[in-house]
Amino acid sequence: MLLSAAVVPESGSAAKETWVKENPSATSFRLKDLTAVITVKIKNNDKNVQYFKIGHVYQGSLQENSTIKWIIQWTDPAAIKMVKSRTPELGGDYGWKIKPGETKTVSFGLQATGEMGEIPSYIVNVESDDSNYWPILNEPGLMSSWFIPNEIEVLNPSLDLKYWKGTFGFTLINIDDERVSGIVRAPIAPVNSRVIYSSPQAFSDDNLFVSTQVAAWDVTMDPETSQRFIYTYEWPAKITGGMPQQAAAVTTHREPSTGPQVHHQGFQVRKTGAPYGPLVIGALVTAAAVAYTRLMR
């Protein structure tokens, strides 16, 4: 396992977590088909026009040099291509214009691609997974990464994020030839947000990181079986602990009928006026723009 330096939490005291990039050969569970459906409501407080766009890359609190790359499946309303692209190799950047004083609501669907979309990366307590301890060890299970939904306000103070909702999905596969059990946490979790839906029903891990309600599941899987997990966060929210006992089902795919399907980067995507596009915003952000998230103030 590869370790990096611990972070500093909001309190300013030394954190007890460290980043871990999982060694695939040491993990019985594999993650695949990681998806995200994001809805945001943003106001332009400036007297001039502003733009915001989808970002192809998520780093959040993942280990240094570890990112999840995304392909756009659809946008609503249709996105337009931006003048500058951070990741042209993934199709270029697409986003939206927002007029002075205007409040705009947009939604888009994303599909993870590449190694980080398949292999779990997570955090563990520094003292919980040290092989120097003997004869018994704590088992932390698969952990989580986090980000700040309103990072767009740091990138552009003229833009005010009013609302953010993200529905994430992933498939877990037991590749072992034995039955395997353990705790599996949401691979991506927003800070200062609340879980409004999960399937199967999740419990809340509120001790993982300050102001972060992490959806978690106690999972037991038979050999070579798989299970799909869906969970939805809403921002802003004051975290008070606990999870909703019951929640209405959420729509995890809102693909508008706005054109034929096209093939891009190995995934089926839907054309939405503009081809597809990616967006630097509260949920999925370019690593270079938001490296500060590793120092949670």
Side-chain angles (χ1 to χ4, degrees):
M1 292 186 294
L2 305 177
L3 304 183
S4 68
V7 296
V8 179
E10 291 180 0
S11 64
S13 61
K16 289 186 178 181
E17 289 86 23
T18 187
W19 313 132
V20 175
K21 182 177 181 181
E22 183 56 273
N23 176 2
S25 64
T27 307
S28 295
F29 287 163
R30 290 291 184 275
L31 178 71
K32 74 172 218 176
D33 296 333
L34 179 61
T35 60
V37 175
I38 309 298
T39 297
V40 294
K41 183 178 182 181
I42 299 178
K43 182 179 180 181
N44 179 8
N45 289 325
D46 205 342
K47 61 183 179 180
N48 301 312
V49 66
Q50 300 289 338
Y51 287 83
F52 63 94
K53 61 184 180 179
I54 301 170
H56 291 279
V57 178
Y58 169 87
Q59 183 175 20
S61 57
L62 295 179
Q63 182 184 353
E64 187 73 24
N65 299 322
S66 295
T67 59
I68 298 174
K69 296 182 179 180
W70 303 84
I71 301 296
I72 287 294
Q73 301 293 289
W74 55 268
T75 67
D76 183 21
I80 55 177
K81 190 166 188 178
M82 300 289 98
V83 65
K84 180 181 178 181
S85 294
R86 291 179 179 269
T87 50
E89 69 277 10
L90 293 176
D93 290 7
Y94 288 80
W96 294 268
K97 176 190 295 188
I98 184 167
K99 299 175 183 177
E102 180 185 8
T103 299
K104 184 180 289 289
T105 299
V106 304
S107 298
F108 52 96
L110 304 164
Q111 171 87 42
T113 184
E115 181 183 59
M116 288 297 292
E118 300 288 325
I119 299 174
S121 286
Y122 58 91
I123 66 165
V124 298
N125 186 287
V126 170
E127 299 173 351
S128 70
D129 197 24
D130 191 331
S131 60
N132 292 327
Y133 286 86
W134 183 87
I136 57 174
L137 294 171
N138 176 55
E139 169 51 60
L142 300 184
M143 306 290 271
S144 188
S145 69
W146 54 77
F147 65 95
I148 304 173
N150 58 330
E151 286 161 347
I152 188 67
E153 297 173 354
V154 176
L155 300 176
N156 185 349
S158 295
L159 297 179
D160 181 11
L161 182 65
K162 297 295 187 181
Y163 176 78
W164 181 96
K165 184 172 78 170
T167 295
F168 299 91
F170 64 95
T171 299
L172 208 62
I173 304 172
N174 178 14
I175 64 168
D176 210 308
D177 58 3
E178 295 185 51
R179 200 179 196 200
V180 175
S181 292
I183 295 175
V184 175
R185 294 166 178 85
I188 298 175
V191 175
N192 295 323
S193 305
R194 65 189 182 104
V195 179
I196 61 173
Y197 173 80
S198 64
S199 177
Q201 180 69 41
F203 68 89
S204 177
D205 184 348
D206 295 331
N207 297 319
L208 187 63
F209 196 75
V210 63
S211 300
T212 306
Q213 185 182 70
V214 176
W217 298 267
D218 179 10
V219 179
T220 298
M221 297 180 68
D222 290 325
E224 300 180 351
T225 59
S226 64
Q227 184 173 2
R228 185 72 177 166
F229 294 80
I230 303 290
Y231 61 98
T232 300
Y233 280 92
E234 190 175 58
W235 178 97
K238 183 178 180 181
I239 301 304
T240 57
M243 299 283 280
Q245 294 300 311
Q246 190 116 14
V250 295
T251 301
T252 59
H253 297 287
R254 287 187 53 215
E255 302 187 42
S257 300
T258 53
Q261 287 191 342
V262 296
H263 196 67
H264 176 63
Q265 296 287 340
F267 292 98
Q268 290 296 322
V269 299
R270 185 174 296 276
K271 202 166 184 177
T272 58
Y276 17 73
L279 134 44
V280 168
I281 201 155
L284 308 153
V285 284
T286 305
V290 291
Y292 76 93
T293 57
R294 291 193 298 275
L295 298 177
M296 309 295 280
R297 296 183 296 275

